[in-house]
Amino acid sequence: MAEMRDVLAQLERILMGKREQTTLALACLLARGHLLIEDVPGVGKTTLAHALGATLGLDWTRVQFTSDLLPADIVGVSIYNTHDQQFEFKPGPVFTSILLADEINRAPPKAQSALLEAMEERQVSVDGVSHALAEDFFVIATQNPGDQLGAFPLPESQLDRFLVGLEIGYPDPATERALLEHGDMRADVASLEALLDSRQIHRWRKQCDKVHLSPPVLDYIQALLLASRTAGTGLSPRAGLSLVKLCRAFAFIEQRDHVLPDDVRHVFPALAGHRMTGQVRSGHQHARELLAQVSMP
């Protein structure tokens, strides 16, 4: 089975020069969260999502969110079977291990809400009947900035269900030159090798749970939570628990059995930004301002 460095190297080969983003995306998976990628079109949001799906070795489905998308197009629908004279449930694309929700904020709120129960409870309810999803269900959603035409802002309740919010950003000059010489990296995604499977991911998650979190680091996390609540939309206790999980996963990827304060500083903007402002880019800046206000142990 592949080592952690092999997984990160394969992802970075597709999304060149973006080691921080690929590391946080993998940490999000190991922390049992969901991933939101926000940026302008053409910088690699969907490419990263596809590369993750191919590398993880899990079943995955892509849904293009559009203005005419209906909840039933995502979760499924009950259809009357005239032969058996009863309704049969036809599962939608949400019944997979990895759901790539492309341009999620292009769909109206009613369609977006179809994912709320799926992301939190890992189940969907149709006609009063609950249907369980895969244990390793993982949503990778991309969205365009909210000021672009045809975008519907995600409600706070849905933003809170995304553990990590990432911004890809433009490549540096050297990376962009390499990209121009190589060509579009999306063509390489189809040839990616599946380096992981569900058993390996489960083992890594159990190891993440054992990463030590010292009292001073917990004090630091709590101080950040309190600071966020005095500066507008504060972070909830659920966000605090998510921060603990994400710190442990990040430390594990860095091959450590304990969390450092620097780990908290590294992952905090990705976890807190979209929750506090509703946007990834502005949220990251707001989170960095909070980090500057709270002393690190």
Side-chain angles (χ1 to χ4, degrees), residues 26-86:
L26 187 56
C28 179
L29 168 76
L30 296 181
R32 301 176 177 86
H34 302 289
L35 177 64
L36 177 65
I37 309 172
E38 176 191 286
D39 218 317
V40 297
V43 295
K45 302 187 304 296
T46 303
T47 301
L48 173 58
H50 286 188
L52 275 169
T55 300
L56 296 177
L58 302 174
D59 296 332
W60 59 283
T61 304
R62 176 184 177 273
V63 176
Q64 177 65 52
F65 279 61
T66 57
S67 59
D68 59 349
L69 193 72
L70 298 175
D73 296 329
I74 302 171
V75 300
V77 64
S78 294
I79 299 176
Y80 187 71
N81 186 323
T82 56
H83 181 268
D84 297 332
Q85 295 187 344
Q86 62 182 7

Short mmCIF file of all heavy atoms in Angstrom, two decimals, residues 26-86:
data_model
loop_
_atom_site.label_atom_id
_atom_site.label_comp_id
_atom_site.label_asym_id
_atom_site.label_seq_id
_atom_site.Cartn_x
_atom_site.Cartn_y
_atom_site.Cartn_z
N LEU A 26 -6.22 16.39 1.92
CA LEU A 26 -6.06 15.04 2.45
C LEU A 26 -6.36 15.01 3.95
O LEU A 26 -6.97 14.06 4.46
CB LEU A 26 -4.66 14.53 2.17
CG LEU A 26 -4.38 13.07 2.52
CD1 LEU A 26 -5.36 12.13 1.82
CD2 LEU A 26 -2.94 12.69 2.16
N ALA A 27 -5.93 16.05 4.68
CA ALA A 27 -6.24 16.14 6.11
C ALA A 27 -7.74 16.20 6.34
O ALA A 27 -8.26 15.62 7.29
CB ALA A 27 -5.56 17.36 6.72
N CYS A 28 -8.45 16.89 5.46
CA CYS A 28 -9.91 16.98 5.56
C CYS A 28 -10.54 15.59 5.45
O CYS A 28 -11.44 15.24 6.21
CB CYS A 28 -10.44 17.90 4.47
SG CYS A 28 -12.24 18.08 4.45
N LEU A 29 -10.05 14.80 4.52
CA LEU A 29 -10.56 13.43 4.35
C LEU A 29 -10.31 12.60 5.60
O LEU A 29 -11.20 11.92 6.11
CB LEU A 29 -9.90 12.78 3.14
CG LEU A 29 -10.12 11.27 3.01
CD1 LEU A 29 -11.52 10.98 2.50
CD2 LEU A 29 -9.08 10.64 2.10
N LEU A 30 -9.07 12.66 6.12
CA LEU A 30 -8.73 11.84 7.28
C LEU A 30 -9.47 12.29 8.53
O LEU A 30 -9.68 11.50 9.45
CB LEU A 30 -7.21 11.89 7.51
CG LEU A 30 -6.34 11.30 6.40
CD1 LEU A 30 -4.87 11.39 6.77
CD2 LEU A 30 -6.72 9.84 6.14
N ALA A 31 -9.87 13.57 8.59
CA ALA A 31 -10.63 14.07 9.73
C ALA A 31 -12.12 13.84 9.58
O ALA A 31 -12.92 14.37 10.36
CB ALA A 31 -10.36 15.56 9.91
N ARG A 32 -12.51 13.07 8.55
CA ARG A 32 -13.92 12.71 8.32
C ARG A 32 -14.79 13.93 8.01
O ARG A 32 -15.95 14.00 8.40
CB ARG A 32 -14.50 11.95 9.52
CG ARG A 32 -13.77 10.66 9.87
CD ARG A 32 -14.34 10.02 11.12
NE ARG A 32 -13.71 8.75 11.45
CZ ARG A 32 -12.60 8.62 12.16
NH1 ARG A 32 -12.00 9.72 12.61
NH2 ARG A 32 -12.08 7.44 12.41
N GLY A 33 -14.21 14.88 7.31
CA GLY A 33 -14.95 16.09 6.96
C GLY A 33 -15.29 16.14 5.49
O GLY A 33 -15.16 15.16 4.75
N HIS A 34 -15.77 17.31 5.06
CA HIS A 34 -16.08 17.56 3.66
C HIS A 34 -15.31 18.80 3.22
O HIS A 34 -14.99 19.68 4.02
CB HIS A 34 -17.59 17.77 3.47
CG HIS A 34 -18.41 16.61 3.94
ND1 HIS A 34 -18.46 15.40 3.28
CD2 HIS A 34 -19.21 16.47 5.02
CE1 HIS A 34 -19.26 14.56 3.94
NE2 HIS A 34 -19.72 15.19 5.00
N LEU A 35 -15.02 18.88 1.92
CA LEU A 35 -14.10 19.87 1.39
C LEU A 35 -14.81 20.83 0.45
O LEU A 35 -15.52 20.41 -0.48
CB LEU A 35 -12.96 19.16 0.64
CG LEU A 35 -11.92 20.02 -0.07
CD1 LEU A 35 -11.14 20.86 0.94
CD2 LEU A 35 -10.97 19.13 -0.87
N LEU A 36 -14.60 22.14 0.67
CA LEU A 36 -15.13 23.19 -0.20
C LEU A 36 -13.95 23.90 -0.84
O LEU A 36 -13.06 24.40 -0.14
CB LEU A 36 -15.97 24.18 0.60
CG LEU A 36 -16.54 25.38 -0.16
CD1 LEU A 36 -17.54 24.91 -1.23
CD2 LEU A 36 -17.20 26.36 0.80
N ILE A 37 -13.93 23.97 -2.17
CA ILE A 37 -12.85 24.64 -2.91
C ILE A 37 -13.45 25.82 -3.64
O ILE A 37 -14.33 25.65 -4.49
CB ILE A 37 -12.17 23.68 -3.91
CG1 ILE A 37 -11.76 22.37 -3.23
CG2 ILE A 37 -10.96 24.34 -4.54
CD1 ILE A 37 -11.25 21.31 -4.19
N GLU A 38 -12.99 27.02 -3.31
CA GLU A 38 -13.54 28.24 -3.91
C GLU A 38 -12.44 29.00 -4.64
O GLU A 38 -11.35 29.22 -4.10
CB GLU A 38 -14.13 29.14 -2.82
CG GLU A 38 -14.65 30.48 -3.35
CD GLU A 38 -14.97 31.45 -2.23
OE1 GLU A 38 -16.00 31.23 -1.57
OE2 GLU A 38 -14.19 32.40 -2.02
N ASP A 39 -12.74 29.42 -5.86
CA ASP A 39 -11.82 30.29 -6.60
C ASP A 39 -12.44 30.63 -7.94
O ASP A 39 -13.52 30.11 -8.30
CB ASP A 39 -10.45 29.61 -6.80
CG ASP A 39 -9.30 30.61 -6.65
OD1 ASP A 39 -9.43 31.71 -7.20
OD2 ASP A 39 -8.30 30.28 -5.99
N VAL A 40 -11.76 31.49 -8.67
CA VAL A 40 -12.24 31.87 -10.00
C VAL A 40 -12.11 30.67 -10.94
O VAL A 40 -11.32 29.75 -10.68
CB VAL A 40 -11.42 33.06 -10.54
CG1 VAL A 40 -11.62 34.28 -9.66
CG2 VAL A 40 -9.93 32.71 -10.62
N PRO A 41 -12.88 30.65 -12.03
CA PRO A 41 -12.79 29.53 -12.97
C PRO A 41 -11.39 29.41 -13.57
O PRO A 41 -10.70 30.40 -13.82
CB PRO A 41 -13.82 29.89 -14.04
CG PRO A 41 -14.78 30.82 -13.38
CD PRO A 41 -13.95 31.59 -12.39
N GLY A 42 -10.97 28.15 -13.78
CA GLY A 42 -9.75 27.90 -14.53
C GLY A 42 -8.47 27.76 -13.74
O GLY A 42 -7.39 27.65 -14.35
N VAL A 43 -8.54 27.75 -12.40
CA VAL A 43 -7.30 27.64 -11.62
C VAL A 43 -7.06 26.24 -11.07
O VAL A 43 -6.07 26.01 -10.39
CB VAL A 43 -7.27 28.67 -10.47
CG1 VAL A 43 -7.23 30.08 -11.02
CG2 VAL A 43 -8.45 28.48 -9.52
N GLY A 44 -7.98 25.31 -11.32
CA GLY A 44 -7.72 23.92 -10.93
C GLY A 44 -8.63 23.36 -9.85
O GLY A 44 -8.32 22.31 -9.28
N LYS A 45 -9.75 24.00 -9.56
CA LYS A 45 -10.66 23.48 -8.52
C LYS A 45 -11.15 22.08 -8.88
O LYS A 45 -11.02 21.14 -8.10
CB LYS A 45 -11.87 24.42 -8.34
CG LYS A 45 -11.54 25.84 -7.98
CD LYS A 45 -12.78 26.64 -7.65
CE LYS A 45 -13.81 26.66 -8.76
NZ LYS A 45 -13.31 27.34 -9.99
N THR A 46 -11.72 21.95 -10.06
CA THR A 46 -12.28 20.66 -10.47
C THR A 46 -11.17 19.64 -10.71
O THR A 46 -11.34 18.45 -10.43
CB THR A 46 -13.13 20.83 -11.74
OG1 THR A 46 -14.16 21.81 -11.48
CG2 THR A 46 -13.79 19.52 -12.13
N THR A 47 -10.02 20.10 -11.18
CA THR A 47 -8.89 19.19 -11.40
C THR A 47 -8.45 18.56 -10.09
O THR A 47 -8.18 17.35 -10.03
CB THR A 47 -7.73 19.95 -12.05
OG1 THR A 47 -8.15 20.51 -13.29
CG2 THR A 47 -6.55 19.01 -12.29
N LEU A 48 -8.35 19.37 -9.02
CA LEU A 48 -7.99 18.83 -7.71
C LEU A 48 -9.04 17.84 -7.23
O LEU A 48 -8.71 16.76 -6.70
CB LEU A 48 -7.82 19.95 -6.69
CG LEU A 48 -7.60 19.52 -5.23
CD1 LEU A 48 -6.37 18.63 -5.11
CD2 LEU A 48 -7.47 20.72 -4.31
N ALA A 49 -10.30 18.17 -7.41
CA ALA A 49 -11.37 17.27 -6.98
C ALA A 49 -11.30 15.93 -7.71
O ALA A 49 -11.41 14.86 -7.10
CB ALA A 49 -12.74 17.93 -7.21
N HIS A 50 -11.08 15.98 -9.02
CA HIS A 50 -10.98 14.74 -9.80
C HIS A 50 -9.73 13.94 -9.42
O HIS A 50 -9.77 12.70 -9.35
CB HIS A 50 -10.95 15.07 -11.29
CG HIS A 50 -12.27 15.48 -11.83
ND1 HIS A 50 -12.52 15.67 -13.17
CD2 HIS A 50 -13.45 15.74 -11.21
CE1 HIS A 50 -13.77 16.02 -13.36
NE2 HIS A 50 -14.35 16.08 -12.18
N ALA A 51 -8.62 14.64 -9.17
CA ALA A 51 -7.39 13.95 -8.78
C ALA A 51 -7.56 13.24 -7.44
O ALA A 51 -7.07 12.13 -7.25
CB ALA A 51 -6.23 14.94 -8.73
N LEU A 52 -8.23 13.89 -6.50
CA LEU A 52 -8.52 13.24 -5.21
C LEU A 52 -9.36 12.00 -5.41
O LEU A 52 -9.08 10.94 -4.83
CB LEU A 52 -9.24 14.22 -4.28
CG LEU A 52 -8.38 15.17 -3.46
CD1 LEU A 52 -9.25 16.23 -2.81
CD2 LEU A 52 -7.60 14.41 -2.40
N GLY A 53 -10.41 12.12 -6.20
CA GLY A 53 -11.29 10.98 -6.43
C GLY A 53 -10.55 9.80 -7.03
O GLY A 53 -10.75 8.65 -6.63
N ALA A 54 -9.67 10.08 -8.00
CA ALA A 54 -8.94 8.99 -8.66
C ALA A 54 -7.88 8.39 -7.75
O ALA A 54 -7.64 7.18 -7.76
CB ALA A 54 -8.29 9.53 -9.94
N THR A 55 -7.23 9.21 -6.92
CA THR A 55 -6.14 8.74 -6.07
C THR A 55 -6.63 7.91 -4.90
O THR A 55 -5.97 6.95 -4.47
CB THR A 55 -5.32 9.94 -5.55
OG1 THR A 55 -4.79 10.67 -6.65
CG2 THR A 55 -4.18 9.49 -4.64
N LEU A 56 -7.80 8.25 -4.35
CA LEU A 56 -8.27 7.59 -3.15
C LEU A 56 -8.78 6.18 -3.39
O LEU A 56 -8.99 5.42 -2.44
CB LEU A 56 -9.38 8.43 -2.49
CG LEU A 56 -8.94 9.81 -1.99
CD1 LEU A 56 -10.14 10.57 -1.43
CD2 LEU A 56 -7.85 9.69 -0.96
N GLY A 57 -9.02 5.82 -4.64
CA GLY A 57 -9.43 4.45 -4.92
C GLY A 57 -10.82 4.11 -4.45
O GLY A 57 -11.12 2.94 -4.17
N LEU A 58 -11.69 5.09 -4.34
CA LEU A 58 -13.06 4.88 -3.90
C LEU A 58 -14.02 5.19 -5.05
O LEU A 58 -13.68 5.90 -5.99
CB LEU A 58 -13.39 5.79 -2.70
CG LEU A 58 -12.50 5.65 -1.46
CD1 LEU A 58 -12.85 6.72 -0.44
CD2 LEU A 58 -12.67 4.27 -0.84
N ASP A 59 -15.23 4.64 -4.96
CA ASP A 59 -16.25 4.97 -5.95
C ASP A 59 -16.57 6.46 -5.87
O ASP A 59 -16.71 7.01 -4.77
CB ASP A 59 -17.52 4.16 -5.69
CG ASP A 59 -17.31 2.67 -5.87
OD1 ASP A 59 -16.42 2.30 -6.67
OD2 ASP A 59 -18.02 1.89 -5.23
N TRP A 60 -16.66 7.11 -7.01
CA TRP A 60 -16.97 8.52 -6.98
C TRP A 60 -17.90 8.89 -8.14
O TRP A 60 -17.91 8.25 -9.17
CB TRP A 60 -15.72 9.38 -6.98
CG TRP A 60 -14.78 9.23 -8.14
CD1 TRP A 60 -13.90 8.21 -8.35
CD2 TRP A 60 -14.63 10.12 -9.25
NE1 TRP A 60 -13.19 8.41 -9.51
CE2 TRP A 60 -13.62 9.59 -10.08
CE3 TRP A 60 -15.23 11.33 -9.60
CZ2 TRP A 60 -13.21 10.20 -11.26
CZ3 TRP A 60 -14.82 11.96 -10.78
CH2 TRP A 60 -13.82 11.39 -11.58
N THR A 61 -18.68 9.93 -7.88
CA THR A 61 -19.65 10.41 -8.86
C THR A 61 -19.57 11.93 -8.94
O THR A 61 -19.41 12.60 -7.92
CB THR A 61 -21.09 10.01 -8.45
OG1 THR A 61 -21.15 8.59 -8.29
CG2 THR A 61 -22.09 10.43 -9.51
N ARG A 62 -19.68 12.45 -10.12
CA ARG A 62 -19.65 13.90 -10.32
C ARG A 62 -21.05 14.40 -10.66
O ARG A 62 -21.75 13.80 -11.48
CB ARG A 62 -18.68 14.27 -11.44
CG ARG A 62 -18.64 15.76 -11.78
CD ARG A 62 -17.72 16.01 -12.96
NE ARG A 62 -17.71 17.40 -13.35
CZ ARG A 62 -18.56 17.95 -14.21
NH1 ARG A 62 -19.52 17.20 -14.74
NH2 ARG A 62 -18.48 19.23 -14.52
N VAL A 63 -21.45 15.50 -10.03
CA VAL A 63 -22.71 16.17 -10.33
C VAL A 63 -22.42 17.62 -10.67
O VAL A 63 -21.78 18.33 -9.87
CB VAL A 63 -23.70 16.09 -9.15
CG1 VAL A 63 -24.97 16.88 -9.47
CG2 VAL A 63 -24.04 14.65 -8.83
N GLN A 64 -22.85 18.06 -11.84
CA GLN A 64 -22.71 19.46 -12.21
C GLN A 64 -23.93 20.22 -11.68
O GLN A 64 -25.06 19.98 -12.12
CB GLN A 64 -22.63 19.60 -13.73
CG GLN A 64 -22.54 21.04 -14.22
CD GLN A 64 -21.27 21.73 -13.77
OE1 GLN A 64 -20.18 21.22 -13.98
NE2 GLN A 64 -21.41 22.90 -13.16
N PHE A 65 -23.71 21.10 -10.72
CA PHE A 65 -24.82 21.86 -10.15
C PHE A 65 -25.19 23.01 -11.09
O PHE A 65 -24.32 23.80 -11.49
CB PHE A 65 -24.44 22.40 -8.77
CG PHE A 65 -24.59 21.39 -7.68
CD1 PHE A 65 -23.86 20.21 -7.70
CD2 PHE A 65 -25.47 21.59 -6.63
CE1 PHE A 65 -23.99 19.26 -6.70
CE2 PHE A 65 -25.62 20.66 -5.62
CZ PHE A 65 -24.88 19.49 -5.66
N THR A 66 -26.47 23.09 -11.44
CA THR A 66 -26.97 24.11 -12.36
C THR A 66 -28.23 24.73 -11.76
O THR A 66 -28.77 24.26 -10.76
CB THR A 66 -27.31 23.49 -13.72
OG1 THR A 66 -28.27 22.43 -13.55
CG2 THR A 66 -26.07 22.92 -14.39
N SER A 67 -28.68 25.80 -12.39
CA SER A 67 -29.83 26.54 -11.85
C SER A 67 -31.13 25.75 -11.90
O SER A 67 -32.08 26.08 -11.18
CB SER A 67 -30.00 27.85 -12.63
OG SER A 67 -30.20 27.58 -14.02
N ASP A 68 -31.21 24.71 -12.73
CA ASP A 68 -32.44 23.93 -12.82
C ASP A 68 -32.35 22.58 -12.09
O ASP A 68 -33.22 21.73 -12.23
CB ASP A 68 -32.82 23.68 -14.29
CG ASP A 68 -31.74 22.94 -15.06
OD1 ASP A 68 -30.61 22.78 -14.52
OD2 ASP A 68 -32.01 22.51 -16.20
N LEU A 69 -31.30 22.39 -11.29
CA LEU A 69 -31.12 21.14 -10.56
C LEU A 69 -32.18 21.02 -9.45
O LEU A 69 -32.48 21.97 -8.75
CB LEU A 69 -29.73 21.09 -9.95
CG LEU A 69 -29.25 19.74 -9.41
CD1 LEU A 69 -28.96 18.78 -10.56
CD2 LEU A 69 -28.00 19.91 -8.56
N LEU A 70 -32.72 19.83 -9.29
CA LEU A 70 -33.73 19.55 -8.27
C LEU A 70 -33.14 18.64 -7.19
O LEU A 70 -32.21 17.87 -7.46
CB LEU A 70 -34.95 18.87 -8.89
CG LEU A 70 -35.72 19.67 -9.95
CD1 LEU A 70 -36.82 18.80 -10.56
CD2 LEU A 70 -36.29 20.94 -9.36
N PRO A 71 -33.68 18.69 -5.97
CA PRO A 71 -33.19 17.79 -4.92
C PRO A 71 -33.22 16.32 -5.32
O PRO A 71 -32.32 15.55 -5.00
CB PRO A 71 -34.13 18.08 -3.75
CG PRO A 71 -34.57 19.49 -3.96
CD PRO A 71 -34.68 19.65 -5.45
N ALA A 72 -34.27 15.92 -6.04
CA ALA A 72 -34.38 14.53 -6.47
C ALA A 72 -33.27 14.13 -7.42
O ALA A 72 -32.91 12.95 -7.51
CB ALA A 72 -35.74 14.29 -7.13
N ASP A 73 -32.70 15.10 -8.14
CA ASP A 73 -31.58 14.81 -9.04
C ASP A 73 -30.33 14.42 -8.27
O ASP A 73 -29.39 13.86 -8.84
CB ASP A 73 -31.27 16.03 -9.90
CG ASP A 73 -32.42 16.40 -10.82
OD1 ASP A 73 -33.15 15.49 -11.24
OD2 ASP A 73 -32.57 17.60 -11.11
N ILE A 74 -30.31 14.70 -6.97
CA ILE A 74 -29.15 14.41 -6.13
C ILE A 74 -29.38 13.19 -5.25
O ILE A 74 -28.57 12.27 -5.22
CB ILE A 74 -28.80 15.63 -5.25
CG1 ILE A 74 -28.53 16.86 -6.13
CG2 ILE A 74 -27.61 15.33 -4.35
CD1 ILE A 74 -28.40 18.13 -5.35
N VAL A 75 -30.49 13.18 -4.51
CA VAL A 75 -30.72 12.11 -3.54
C VAL A 75 -31.46 10.92 -4.12
O VAL A 75 -31.39 9.81 -3.58
CB VAL A 75 -31.48 12.65 -2.31
CG1 VAL A 75 -30.70 13.74 -1.64
CG2 VAL A 75 -32.87 13.13 -2.68
N GLY A 76 -32.22 11.12 -5.20
CA GLY A 76 -33.01 10.04 -5.76
C GLY A 76 -34.49 10.31 -5.64
O GLY A 76 -34.93 11.31 -5.06
N VAL A 77 -35.29 9.39 -6.14
CA VAL A 77 -36.73 9.60 -6.18
C VAL A 77 -37.46 8.26 -6.08
O VAL A 77 -36.92 7.22 -6.47
CB VAL A 77 -37.12 10.33 -7.49
CG1 VAL A 77 -36.80 9.46 -8.70
CG2 VAL A 77 -38.56 10.76 -7.49
N SER A 78 -38.67 8.30 -5.54
CA SER A 78 -39.51 7.10 -5.48
C SER A 78 -40.39 7.05 -6.73
O SER A 78 -41.08 8.02 -7.05
CB SER A 78 -40.40 7.12 -4.23
OG SER A 78 -39.61 7.02 -3.07
N ILE A 79 -40.33 5.92 -7.42
CA ILE A 79 -41.08 5.75 -8.66
C ILE A 79 -42.06 4.59 -8.48
O ILE A 79 -41.71 3.55 -7.91
CB ILE A 79 -40.14 5.46 -9.85
CG1 ILE A 79 -39.17 6.63 -10.05
CG2 ILE A 79 -40.92 5.18 -11.12
CD1 ILE A 79 -38.16 6.39 -11.13
N TYR A 80 -43.28 4.79 -8.96
CA TYR A 80 -44.31 3.77 -8.80
C TYR A 80 -44.08 2.62 -9.78
O TYR A 80 -43.97 2.81 -10.99
CB TYR A 80 -45.69 4.36 -9.02
CG TYR A 80 -46.81 3.40 -8.69
CD1 TYR A 80 -47.08 3.07 -7.37
CD2 TYR A 80 -47.57 2.83 -9.71
CE1 TYR A 80 -48.11 2.18 -7.07
CE2 TYR A 80 -48.59 1.94 -9.42
CZ TYR A 80 -48.85 1.61 -8.09
OH TYR A 80 -49.86 0.74 -7.79
N ASN A 81 -43.97 1.42 -9.24
CA ASN A 81 -43.79 0.21 -10.03
C ASN A 81 -45.16 -0.40 -10.29
O ASN A 81 -45.81 -0.91 -9.37
CB ASN A 81 -42.89 -0.78 -9.27
CG ASN A 81 -42.55 -2.00 -10.10
OD1 ASN A 81 -43.36 -2.50 -10.87
ND2 ASN A 81 -41.33 -2.49 -9.92
N THR A 82 -45.62 -0.31 -11.53
CA THR A 82 -46.96 -0.80 -11.85
C THR A 82 -47.07 -2.32 -11.72
O THR A 82 -48.14 -2.85 -11.44
CB THR A 82 -47.35 -0.37 -13.27
OG1 THR A 82 -46.36 -0.86 -14.20
CG2 THR A 82 -47.43 1.14 -13.37
N HIS A 83 -45.95 -3.01 -11.90
CA HIS A 83 -45.99 -4.48 -11.80
C HIS A 83 -46.20 -4.92 -10.36
O HIS A 83 -47.05 -5.79 -10.08
CB HIS A 83 -44.68 -5.07 -12.35
CG HIS A 83 -44.63 -6.56 -12.31
ND1 HIS A 83 -44.12 -7.27 -11.24
CD2 HIS A 83 -45.05 -7.49 -13.22
CE1 HIS A 83 -44.20 -8.56 -11.49
NE2 HIS A 83 -44.75 -8.72 -12.69
N ASP A 84 -45.45 -4.33 -9.43
CA ASP A 84 -45.58 -4.68 -8.01
C ASP A 84 -46.60 -3.82 -7.29
O ASP A 84 -46.90 -4.07 -6.11
CB ASP A 84 -44.23 -4.55 -7.31
CG ASP A 84 -43.20 -5.52 -7.85
OD1 ASP A 84 -43.60 -6.59 -8.35
OD2 ASP A 84 -41.99 -5.18 -7.81
N GLN A 85 -47.09 -2.79 -7.97
CA GLN A 85 -48.07 -1.87 -7.40
C GLN A 85 -47.59 -1.26 -6.08
O GLN A 85 -48.29 -1.21 -5.09
CB GLN A 85 -49.43 -2.58 -7.20
CG GLN A 85 -50.07 -3.01 -8.51
CD GLN A 85 -51.47 -3.56 -8.31
OE1 GLN A 85 -51.89 -3.89 -7.20
NE2 GLN A 85 -52.24 -3.65 -9.39
N GLN A 86 -46.34 -0.79 -6.12
CA GLN A 86 -45.78 -0.08 -4.97
C GLN A 86 -44.64 0.83 -5.45
O GLN A 86 -44.14 0.68 -6.56
CB GLN A 86 -45.25 -1.06 -3.93
CG GLN A 86 -44.12 -1.95 -4.42
CD GLN A 86 -43.68 -2.94 -3.36
OE1 GLN A 86 -44.29 -3.05 -2.31
NE2 GLN A 86 -42.61 -3.67 -3.64
#
